[in-house]
Amino acid sequence: MCGIVGYTGPKPAAPLLLNGLAKLEYRGYDSAGLALLTPQGRLKIIKKAGKIGNLVAAVKKAHISPTITAGIGHTRWATHGHPTDRNAHPHTDCGGEVAVVHNGIVENYEKLKKQLQAKGHHFKSQTDSEVLAHLIEEGLKHQSAVHSRQPAGKAKAWVEAVRWALSQIEGTYSVVAVYEREPESLIGARAGGGGLVVGLGKDENFLASDVPALLAHTRRVYYLDDNEMVILSPSGTRVVSVLNGKPIPKKVSEIQWSAEQAEKGGYPHFMLKEIMEQPRALEDTFNSRLDLGTGEVLLEGKFWSSPFVREFKKITLLAMGTSFYAAMVGKFLLEKYLRVPVEVDNASEFRYRDPIIGKDTLAIVISQSGETVDTLVALREAKAKGAKIAAICNVMGSSVTREADGVLLTRAGPEIGVASTKAFTTQLGALWLLTLHLARVRKAMPPAELKRKARELARLPMMVGALLKQRKAVEKLAKLYAKYFNFLYIGRGIQYPIALEGALKLKEISYIHAEGYPGGEMKHGPIALIDSKMPVLAIALKSSGVYEKILNNMAEVKARSGKLIALVEKGDKLAGKKADHVIEIPAISEDLSPLLSVVPLQLLAYEIAKLKHREIDQPRNLAKSVTVE
Ligand code: AGP
C-alpha cells in the first residue's frame, strides 16, 4: 500500500505535499518523491529511497521556489522493484513532461512494457507503475492529433490520454498524473488500489490516499469510486467515468475527525495513543446505537431492517489478520445467540476455494481499512455467488463499505499504527451490536436478556479504561520477558482468537517469534517446545466453560520448566499460584471477556517492542493496509 498526495492552488506546494506525505507514512515508507509543476510549465522531480525524512532533506537542498503551487507526492511500499531512488515514485514518460504516482498493481505491465519499448519508449525503473507514464505519453500523441483543432483541445486531449492509458491496465490503481502543458489540472483516478479522496478548499483543491493528509486544510471531501477519474484545478473539480468519459456527480461529506485525532496526541507512538483511546472508541461505536431501556440496537441504513436479515440461513465471516481474529470471536457470538451455522474464513483462502454459499447466506466482511485486497475480492466472490454483504469497517467511503449491502461503521477514528488495536476492540463491539440486533429481529433472544446484554455492553468502555491503568504492571512484566526469542500464547473457546491476536501483536512489532494455539493442541505438538527458554502466556478466566482444562495446560507447562504468565480474573488465586507472573482483568461474562483480555496483550507487545527499540508504528516489511496480494 502506498500514500499519495496532490495539490493545486495558491500556496507553495512542496511543504504542503511533504506534510501530507508525513501523515501517510504509515501506508508505506521505503521511498518517497514529489513532482512539482513550475509556473514556467516545467516538471521538477525529487525522489529518494528510505523514509520521508530523506526526501525532506533533498527538497530543502533543492531550494524549491514558493512560486511552485501545484504538484503530487508519493510514499511507497514496494511491490515491484527494490526501494531505490530510481524505483521511487513519481515516474515520468520519455520526455519528462508527464509524471505519475501510483498505488496498486499493474498486472499486465510486462506485456505493456514490451509493447511500449517496441515503440521506442525508454524505461528508467524496474517498477510496474512506470508503464502508466509511458502509456499516457502514447495517449497524448494520439489524442493531441484528434483534439488539436477543437476549442480547449489541449485540455480534452490530456483527459482523454489518461483515460485511454487507464483502459490498457489490468490490475488495480489509484493514480495521480500531472502534465507540464496542463499545469492547471491534476488528474486522479482509481480502480481498487487503496482509494483516493478529493479535498475541496477555497481556490485550492487536494487529492490524497487517506483523510489524515487533508485534515489540516479541509474537511469537505468526496471519495472516488472504482473507474472514476477526477480533473482537479484550483477553481474546481469534476469527475468523469474512466469507461465512457461521462460526468459523474459526487456527494460531498464533512469529515468529523479533528486534525489532532490524526496526530499522536502527546503519546510517543500512534499505537500507544490508539490503545489508550479504546474506551472513547468503544463509546463512540456504541453511541446512539444502544437503547438501554429496550435493549434495541439502532443501526444506520435500510439493509438492517430488510426481510433478508430475518430470513438468511447461514453466515460466513471473511477477513484477514487481526480482523480475522475478530471474526473468530464473532463466530462464537453469532452461533450462540442466533443458532445459525457460522463459518469463518481467511479471505485469501476463501477467494480461491469455490465456497458453497448462496442467496441464503449473509457474508460479513471485517476490515479496518476497507481496502484489504483479499477481503475485497472475497466480498466480490461472495456477492457473485448470491450472498448479501455486511461490512464492519472503520473507514467511511472505503471500497468495502461502498460494495457492501449493509455497513456497520466502527467509530475508532483514524488508526495510524500498523498494529491494529482500537480497530480490533471496536470490531468486537460492532459484532456485539450486530449479534444483539439480529437476535432481536429474528426473535432469537428474549427482550429481558437483550436489555441485560445491552447494559453489560455499555459498561465496557469504563472497564477498559480501568484496565488501562494496569499499564505500569505490564511494563514491569515486559522487562522480565523482552529477552526471550520465542513465545507461546494459549487460550480456549472464545479466548483462542485472543491468544492468536496476542501472538500477532507481539510478533509484528517486537519481531519475537510468537505463536497462538488452542490449549487443547498443546499435547499434539507444541508442548515439545516447552523448556525454560519458552515463555507461555495462558488466558485462564474463571468465567470460561473450560477453565479447569486451561489450568491443566498451565500445570503441564510448569512441569516442564516453562516460564508461565497467566491472564486471570482479578483475585483468582487458584490460577494465579500456578504461574510465575499474573495479569489480572476484572470479572466479566465469558462472551464479553475478549474485549478486556486483549488489552493487556496489546500493552505487553507494545512495552516489549519499546524495550527492543523497534519501529513500533511502522514495523519492518509491514504496511497499514495490504492493498496488493
Ligand atoms: C494487524 O495488527 C495487522 N496490521 C494486520 O493483520 C491487519 O489486521 C490486516 O492486514 C487486515 O487489515 P484490515 O483490517 O484493514 O482489512
Side-chain angles (χ1 to χ4, degrees), residues 320-323 366-372 375 418-420 427 501 504-505 508 623-626:
M320 298 299 289
T322 285
S323 301
I366 303 178
S367 174
Q368 188 285 130
S369 62
E371 299 297 348
T372 298
T375 306
V418 164
S420 190
Q427 286 168 351
E501 171 58 9
L504 174 59
K505 286 283 100 40
E508 71 175 320
K624 183 57 186 170
S625 169
V626 183

Side-chain angles (χ1 to χ4, degrees), residues 359-476:
K359 290 189 174 15
D360 64 351
T361 306
L362 171 64
I364 302 173
V365 297
I366 303 178
S367 174
Q368 188 285 130
S369 62
E371 299 297 348
T372 298
V373 62
D374 288 313
T375 306
L376 197 49
V377 178
L379 179 161
R380 291 169 183 162
E381 169 80 10
K383 193 175 234 184
K385 287 178 173 285
K388 289 281 184 219
I389 311 294
I392 293 178
C393 183
N394 194 42
V395 179
M396 170 186 70
S398 60
S399 301
V400 157
T401 60
R402 278 178 291 106
E403 298 190 24
D405 299 296
V407 176
L408 204 180
L409 279 178
T410 51
R411 297 174 185 150
E415 185 175 71
I416 311 297
V418 164
S420 190
T421 50
K422 62 178 182 174
F424 178 71
T425 43
T426 52
Q427 286 168 351
L428 297 185
L431 282 161
W432 259 108
L433 292 173
L434 189 52
T435 301
L436 294 180
H437 172 71
L438 294 174
R440 184 179 62 81
V441 298
R442 297 169 67 96
K443 301 191 180 3
M445 192 189 286
E449 189 181 357
L450 275 170
K451 211 185 305 183
R452 201 170 47 254
K453 284 289 176 210
R455 287 162 187 249
E456 269 188 283
L457 208 48
R459 291 180 47 241
L460 269 168
M462 177 270 296
M463 295 178 84
V464 171
L467 196 48
L468 288 169
K469 293 191 174 65
Q470 277 206 41
R471 191 183 152 205
K472 283 271 169 267
V474 175
E475 208 172 352
K476 280 205 196 86

Side-chain angles (χ1 to χ4, degrees), residues 103-357:
N103 186 10
I105 284 196
V106 181
E107 298 194 349
N108 61 336
Y109 87 98
E110 285 104 338
K111 187 182 90 188
L112 292 170
K113 189 167 178 173
K114 282 202 184 73
Q115 289 169 352
L116 289 159
Q117 285 169 325
K119 290 180 180 169
H121 288 264
H122 303 289
F123 283 76
K124 302 177 266 304
S125 80
Q126 306 154 308
T127 68
D128 55 330
S129 306
E130 188 182 349
V131 294
L132 279 159
H134 295 280
L135 282 171
I136 294 173
E137 181 184 10
E138 273 302 296
L140 281 166
K141 281 180 203 154
H142 175 63
Q143 294 299 335
S144 305
V146 168
H147 299 282
S148 57
R149 276 181 287 286
Q150 292 170 8
K154 244 173 13 83
K156 186 139 180 64
W158 167 226
V159 172
E160 288 308 301
V162 175
R163 209 160 71 74
W164 174 82
L166 296 174
S167 68
Q168 308 303 303
I169 299 295
E170 287 164 22
T172 57
Y173 59 79
S174 281
V175 61
V176 184
V178 289
Y179 180 34
E180 280 185 346
R181 299 184 201 186
E182 284 298 320
E184 286 284 295
S185 76
L186 278 57
I187 296 184
R190 71 153 299 178
L196 270 182
V197 54
V198 177
L200 304 173
K202 191 177 170 336
D203 305 328
E204 59 181 7
N205 288 300
F206 307 80
L207 262 169
S209 311
D210 204 351
V211 164
L214 302 174
L215 278 177
H217 310 286
T218 178
R219 291 172 198 289
R220 296 180 59 243
V221 301
Y222 62 77
Y223 296 82
L224 287 191
D225 282 306
D226 281 352
N227 298 315
E228 291 183 349
M229 62 191 274
V230 60
I231 299 92
L232 209 83
S233 66
S235 56
T237 71
R238 63 189 176 90
V239 175
V240 300
S241 162
V242 171
L243 306 177
N244 59 27
K246 289 200 171 30
I248 298 173
K250 296 299 284 184
K251 179 170 161 299
V252 178
S253 46
E254 191 80 20
I255 291 293
Q256 302 309 315
W257 292 345
S258 66
E260 294 64 49
Q261 263 197 311
E263 289 308 317
K264 290 182 192 168
Y267 288 99
H269 298 101
F270 279 115
M271 183 180 176
L272 183 58
K273 170 177 172 282
E274 289 149 11
I275 289 172
M276 304 310 268
E277 275 182 343
Q278 291 181 110
R280 190 273 311 150
L282 281 166
E283 255 163 26
D284 288 354
T285 299
F286 295 152
N287 200 359
S288 76
R289 288 169 166 167
L290 265 179
D291 179 331
L292 300 184
T294 63
E296 191 172 349
V297 171
L298 312 163
L299 298 179
E300 302 80 24
K302 293 197 294 295
F303 175 74
W304 302 112
S305 51
S306 67
F308 176 78
V309 296
R310 289 191 294 278
E311 293 155 5
F312 66 78
K313 297 278 182 293
K314 67 179 273 196
I315 293 174
T316 189
L317 289 147
L318 303 166
M320 298 299 289
T322 285
S323 301
F324 175 65
Y325 302 145
M328 288 175 72
V329 173
K331 173 185 168 75
F332 280 95
L333 305 178
L334 292 160
E335 230 164 37
K336 175 174 181 181
Y337 292 109
L338 302 189
R339 304 313 298 156
V340 296
V342 179
E343 285 182 9
V344 186
D345 255 305
N346 173 294
S348 65
E349 290 297 308
F350 177 85
R351 58 184 288 201
Y352 293 113
R353 227 195 44 229
D354 192 12
I356 299 172
I357 58 173

